[in-house]
Amino acid sequence: MTAAAKRGNRGPMRLEHAVEALGKTALHEALGLDAPAVVRRSQDEKHGDYQLNGVLPLAKKLGKNPRELAALVAEKLQNPSIFSKVEVAGPGFINLKLTDSWLAEQLALLANDANDGIEQVAPDTIVVDFSGPNIAKQMHVGHLRSTILGDALVKILRAQGHKVLGDNHLGDWGTQFGLLIVGMRTFGDAEAMKKDPIVELERVYKLASEAKKDEVFANEARAELAKLQAGDPDNKKLWEQFVAVTRESLDVVYADLGVTFDYWLGESAYNDALPGVVATVKAAGIAREDNGALCVFFKELEDAPKDLAANEQPFIVQKSDGAFNYATTDIATVFHRSTVFQADRSIYVVDNRQSLHFKQLFEVAKRLGDRQKLTHVGFGSVLGPDGKPLKTRDASGKVITLKNLLDEATETAKKRLVEEELDLPADELDAVAKAVGIGAVKYADLRQNRLSDYTFDWDKMIAFRGNAGPYLQYAFARTQSIFRKAEVAPAEALKAPFVLAEPSERALALALLAYPDAVAGAAEHLEPHRICDHLYGLARAVASFYEECPVLKSEGATRASRLALVATAGKQLEAGLKLLGITPIARM
RNA sequence: GCCUGCGUAGCUCAGUGGAUAGAGCAGCGCUUUCCUAAAGCGUUGGUCGCAGGUUCGACUCCUGCCGCGGGCGCCA
């Protein structure tokens, strides 16, 4: 039984699914076969609300005239309580217009649904691995994508009913610590370390990275790393200090962003498991030694995926000096998620540049018997206005740390709020400014397809105009403003029957009813920007509705219905913003 | 060289094999005695990189080419 069937007629449905199902039934009745109805929203409203495209490929297959076939199907679709118009058009499309009363009925289900209409699925345990910053570095704009995307994905999957574990897989182990230890001894400034430890760590790390070109320095670093990994107490103490200092600076940014994790299992958490991983890989017979390192060569394996086999690049599980690397750690992490977390799926929200590594990792994990569904959610790089990878300083020499960006966005929002001279209580000003500023930064990142590179434009990001975070917050605030004046609680208003008379009321209803499909699409493709698109469309529908339909000045059933529309829109904007990790504000 | 991603309006970007390819910004014009103008309405703007192919139908799928980026041995 499907989730929708289980729910019976008590909960709302995904509208597109519902129409698809009606279409499928009609195809079956008319032609005696099962085929997808291929239902899509109409691009142009003069073609109706939805169109059924499935007849055309069938006509080809059956060798029949598509328009005649479409006419047969259209006949079976006749149902005056659901469709006000069923029309064969063009080469064999069937245009469908839904009745106002059926829309109103569906809308009432949606408005009063506990999950805002989001389809509840059979729950999986899903680990979302995101953010994963490195020790000794401040977060910069490049870290935003993984953090924001991952956080949104956690929330979206949770909203579907999954058990989701957010895991921050910190880069807290490995070669860089040898460098840091020697670097601190050579270049460290105790005063600076007290004053602004993360900045000092970063400075020292940069110097050490330069200095490692010198063989003596590099050897020293390797020796200190070996000591650390062997459990040397002095080095362990230093390592702990580096991690703690970094963690402090990270916590400030995560607090600003409102991002939390269920686990902080960095690379160091898997140290003890690494020898076992190597043993397992050896036992599976998929690796061999090459130049002293233990490597998996995919072109030597049976049935290896073509792109992996075509690549010379081996997957190195143990280095020639016997040490382990990130491949080893990542395999251990996969095992941990399977055995300890009982995860059905793991999702890695990591830069596209690591896509080969993840393909290799997933293939190896499969060959080692892991049964999780492993997915790499990649994303493009952050580019500067010149189209090149973003510098850590902008043209004016300003350091683009994430903290600086968030602070400036908040400042700009605050300035704007003061200028507007709204009736905002003074004690709310800072919180609202923060919600607006940070919401703008998050939305600017989330609204784009994650795969494309991202052109970072500081000014645009804090312009707060058009398709931007503050516009959505503004749309929500306006809905709440109406209820303050109406002196009715939105939850009460929702209970009124919907009357869809004006075109903008109908358009708003259609926009609202598309939410469950948008969330399902975002979850299926792991693309939060689908929710951004939906919410922006909804906010526009609400704005147009305000122009055409006075709410408070209307009367009787019309007023009650309009209040219900505003309440439903407000509820959905609020829920949708929360899925994106953006704070809805009742007053701005 | 091999692998991989991208190329859509002046700029930044959407676009499930379907009808006349859409937004925002920028430009031009209009709307505030009216529930928040961070808004609304209108308008200008396109060889969907190029060439083939598959298809009733291609921005979408396939092949080749051009252009830009990323990855390519012990960093992560």
Side-chain angles (χ1 to χ4, degrees):
Chain A
M1 202 193 285
T2 66
K6 243 185 269 173
R7 211 169 42 236
N9 58 3
R10 284 174 298 120
M13 292 180 281
R14 290 173 55 182
L15 197 58
E16 198 174 296
H17 267 198
V19 179
E20 173 78 27
L22 291 167
K24 211 169 158 23
T25 305
L27 281 173
H28 186 85
E29 286 175 3
L31 310 175
L33 48 79
D34 286 314
V38 195
V39 165
R40 301 283 182 265
R41 280 290 289 275
S42 297
Q43 298 253 330
D44 190 330
E45 63 181 290
K46 77 180 177 217
H47 294 139
D49 301 321
Y50 283 86
Q51 60 185 64
L52 191 153
N53 300 335
V55 171
L56 282 156
L58 280 178
K60 171 74 177 172
K61 212 153 116 193
L62 302 173
K64 299 243 171 86
N65 179 309
R67 282 192 66 102
E68 281 172 21
L69 229 51
L72 292 176
V73 177
E75 201 178 312
K76 298 293 180 190
L77 278 166
Q78 295 299 338
N79 183 341
S81 66
I82 297 178
F83 298 117
S84 61
K85 198 173 83 179
V86 180
E87 205 172 61
V88 177
F93 306 119
I94 301 176
N95 288 335
L96 302 167
K97 191 165 168 106
L98 300 165
T99 61
D100 297 347
S101 58
W102 194 71
L103 279 178
E105 221 174 276
Q106 297 299 306
L107 193 54
L109 292 174
L110 177 81
N112 293 286
D113 184 71
N115 298 305
D116 299 295
I118 297 171
E119 192 169 64
Q120 300 299 293
V121 299
D124 279 336
T125 297
I126 305 175
V127 174
V128 179
D129 177 331
F130 70 106
S131 200
N134 289 321
I135 298 303
K137 281 183 193 158
Q138 290 192 78
M139 287 180 93
H140 61 86
V141 175
H143 290 107
L144 192 62
R145 299 202 89 173
S146 175
T147 308
I148 301 308
L149 265 169
D151 184 53
L153 290 174
V154 166
K155 290 176 161 120
I156 291 163
L157 293 168
R158 246 175 221 156
Q160 289 190 303
H162 290 297
K163 181 183 175 192
V164 184
L165 308 173
D167 184 13
N168 196 356
H169 192 76
L170 288 174
D172 64 355
W173 200 248
T175 325
Q176 74 267 34
F177 286 97
L179 288 174
L180 268 175
I181 289 167
V182 181
M184 201 48 88
R185 213 157 54 204
T186 317
F187 312 109
D189 177 338
E191 273 308 301
M193 197 62 194
K194 262 186 210 153
K195 241 174 89 189
D196 200 346
I198 186 67
V199 171
E200 173 64 4
L201 259 190
E202 208 167 28
R203 185 186 72 89
V204 167
Y205 182 67
K206 267 181 200 147
L207 290 172
S209 301
E210 275 298 305
K212 79 175 171 197
K213 286 175 191 156
D214 173 35
E215 264 311 303
V216 178
F217 190 94
N219 282 333
E220 234 177 297
R222 269 192 282 272
E224 292 302 334
L225 179 67
K227 272 169 70 183
L228 171 66
Q229 296 188 333
D232 175 81
D234 288 340
N235 280 3
K236 181 134 190 263
K237 219 168 157 186
L238 277 173
W239 173 76
E240 278 165 358
Q241 190 198 3
F242 298 154
V243 173
V245 157
T246 308
R247 180 64 195 266
E248 263 175 58
S249 114
L250 291 177
D251 281 343
V252 172
V253 176
Y254 288 135
D256 278 350
L257 289 171
V259 170
T260 58
F261 302 89
D262 301 294
Y263 294 96
W264 291 70
L265 293 172
E267 292 165 350
S268 65
Y270 301 97
N271 287 338
D272 296 344
L274 302 183
V277 166
V278 170
T280 306
V281 171
K282 277 184 182 159
I286 56 174
R288 67 169 170 84
E289 203 194 287
D290 192 81
N291 288 327
L294 187 66
C295 303
V296 179
F297 290 96
F298 292 92
K299 64 179 170 188
E300 296 172 9
L301 298 179
E302 297 235 354
D303 301 324
K306 255 187 255 160
D307 48 349
L308 284 184
N311 218 302
E312 297 292 321
Q313 173 79 349
F315 191 64
I316 299 174
V317 178
Q318 188 172 28
K319 301 199 280 185
S320 52
D321 64 358
F324 309 112
N325 66 0
Y326 68 114
T328 334
T329 312
D330 279 351
I331 296 171
T333 307
V334 170
F335 288 167
H336 185 262
R337 289 173 181 167
S338 280
T339 55
V340 179
F341 293 150
Q342 297 283 306
D344 302 296
R345 299 167 62 185
S346 281
I347 292 168
Y348 295 78
V349 188
V350 182
D351 198 304
N352 266 340
R353 280 176 295 193
Q354 290 191 42
S355 66
L356 176 61
H357 168 70
F358 284 113
K359 269 184 195 154
Q360 294 180 326
L361 171 67
F362 297 167
E363 182 65 22
V364 166
K366 195 166 91 186
R367 283 169 190 267
L368 296 179
D370 192 83
R371 310 300 283 263
Q372 276 179 86
K373 181 177 179 191
L374 300 169
T375 312
H376 174 213
V377 170
F379 51 86
S381 314
V382 181
L383 307 178
D386 56 356
K388 294 192 177 136
L390 192 69
K391 303 275 191 322
T392 46
R393 283 169 196 277
D394 72 4
S396 63
K398 186 161 49 184
V399 179
I400 309 188
T401 62
L402 195 42
K403 180 68 183 152
N404 285 349
L405 173 67
L406 298 178
D407 287 349
E408 178 156 333
T410 301
E411 268 314 300
T412 310
K414 189 170 171 178
K415 235 182 278 170
R416 184 65 184 280
L417 284 165
V418 172
E419 276 168 19
E420 297 278 337
E421 292 180 353
L422 296 172
D423 55 342
L424 203 60
D427 58 340
E428 279 182 31
L429 182 63
D430 284 338
V432 172
K434 194 165 172 177
V436 171
I438 288 174
V441 171
K442 285 189 175 186
Y443 187 84
D445 195 327
L446 282 173
R447 87 182 182 90
Q448 293 197 30
N449 182 331
R450 57 181 166 77
L451 284 172
S452 32
D453 286 344
Y454 174 105
T455 304
F456 177 80
D457 188 327
W458 190 294
D459 294 329
K460 210 172 266 184
M461 198 173 259
I462 58 178
F464 307 153
R465 279 210 300 278
N467 188 353
Y471 177 70
L472 300 185
Q473 290 169 315
Y474 173 71
F476 172 67
R478 283 185 74 183
T479 62
Q480 301 312 291
S481 169
I482 287 175
F483 283 102
R484 281 192 296 272
K485 301 219 158 122
E487 297 182 353
V488 181
E492 275 310 302
L494 283 175
K495 293 174 186 163
F498 291 95
V499 183
L500 306 174
E502 299 298 324
S504 67
E505 290 175 312
R506 205 171 177 282
L508 178 53
L510 274 168
L512 285 163
L513 286 165
Y515 182 65
D517 283 311
V519 175
E524 184 189 344
H525 299 276
L526 302 171
E527 291 177 350
H529 83 278
R530 289 164 185 265
I531 293 176
C532 296
D533 274 356
H534 169 79
L535 292 179
Y536 181 64
L538 171 63
R540 296 197 59 153
V542 174
S544 299
F545 161 77
Y546 289 149
E547 295 292 321
E548 193 178 330
C549 302
V551 177
L552 296 176
K553 284 180 181 161
S554 57
E555 291 175 356
T558 300
R559 186 175 192 268
S561 166
R562 287 179 181 173
L563 277 171
L565 278 168
V566 175
T568 309
K571 193 167 163 245
Q572 193 173 99
L573 284 164
E574 183 178 24
L577 283 169
K578 282 183 180 164
L579 285 186
L580 298 174
I582 296 173
T583 310
I585 34 195
R587 204 192 293 261
M588 67 184 275

